[in-house]
Amino acid sequence: MSHTRRPNRGPSAAAENRAALIAAAREWFAADGYDAPLASIARTAGVGKGSLYRHFPDRASLALAVFEEGVKELEALAAEPGTTLDDMLALMTEQAIASTAFVGMVSAPVDPRIARVRDRVAALLRDLLAEAREAGRVRAYVTTEDLVTAMGMIAALLAKIPAAERRETAERAWLLLFSGIACDPRGSAPPAPSDR
């Protein structure tokens, strides 16, 4: 894996260093997931680990800075009139294909700050899920938590395979998951798993 290292510009370039760290982290998280090595992120950004920790005291701080853009993209989509649950899940899946770390981070928060981001994402899904359920497109027993879990499962799967195979794998995974989420095309929901 080749990451381009930037030259160190010294202490006067704090804003540039922060931006470089976010760009490098986005690249490493996309390739290696949430647990990408912080030393490698700093090296790619052209700064020392001390500079990394001055801007981002821990991994979660860095991840939140990297993925705030993704959350804002989801929020913008949710604000568009006519957005459906399918639209939201499609964008979340695209984000997972581009960077498995984002959805993986949100689906299994280990930090209260990440939990707040997860709550923002879950809130976006909640209203769209209610609309889909009311329209008879989603089974009555499906919860927002189920959707977040499904996205987390897909992100975990995608993190283990080469980037070139992620899109097809995500499509296959959703095909399997939709049999438990979506209603029959004729409009009737199959019985809940506990009814079988």
Side-chain angles (χ1 to χ4, degrees):
M1 170 173 166
S2 66
H3 296 279
T4 308
R5 183 185 172 132
R6 297 172 64 252
N8 191 323
R9 291 149 326 281
S12 63
E16 286 180 40
N17 287 346
R18 186 179 193 283
L21 283 163
I22 290 172
R26 183 175 291 116
E27 182 182 339
W28 275 95
F29 286 160
D32 287 15
Y34 182 67
D35 294 322
L38 295 180
S40 297
I41 291 170
R43 193 168 37 256
T44 300
V47 302
K49 282 184 81 172
S51 181
L52 168 72
Y53 287 116
R54 272 193 300 280
H55 289 285
F56 305 103
D58 54 32
R59 180 180 300 277
S61 299
L62 179 58
L64 288 166
V66 169
F67 296 118
E68 180 62 23
E69 183 181 312
V71 176
K72 286 181 178 175
E73 191 179 7
L74 294 172
E75 289 172 337
L77 176 63
E80 290 179 16
T83 296
T84 66
L85 179 61
D86 289 346
D87 297 331
M88 184 62 66
L89 292 175
L91 178 55
M92 290 179 75
T93 302
E94 285 301 316
Q95 290 179 342
I97 290 167
S99 179
T100 60
F102 172 60
V103 176
M105 176 189 80
V106 169
S107 64
V110 292
D111 180 292
R113 296 165 296 169
I114 293 174
R116 285 192 289 278
V117 171
R118 181 191 191 282
D119 291 345
R120 283 169 63 190
V121 172
L124 299 175
L125 290 169
R126 194 171 297 119
D127 292 340
L128 295 172
L129 174 60
E131 290 171 15
R133 195 183 295 123
E134 191 175 305
R137 294 191 311 272
V138 173
R139 298 181 192 207
Y141 61 81
V142 176
T143 67
T144 303
E145 189 62 35
D146 294 335
L147 296 177
V148 173
T149 299
M151 283 304 314
M153 290 166 50
I154 289 173
L157 174 65
L158 298 181
K160 293 174 176 38
I161 62 171
E165 297 172 22
R166 289 181 184 165
R167 181 169 309 284
E168 183 181 351
T169 301
E171 289 170 3
R172 302 278 312 157
W174 271 121
L175 232 110
L176 294 169
L177 290 170
F178 271 128
S179 68
I181 294 171
C183 287
D184 182 282
R186 296 177 297 276
S188 60
S194 58
D195 296 341
R196 292 191 177 131

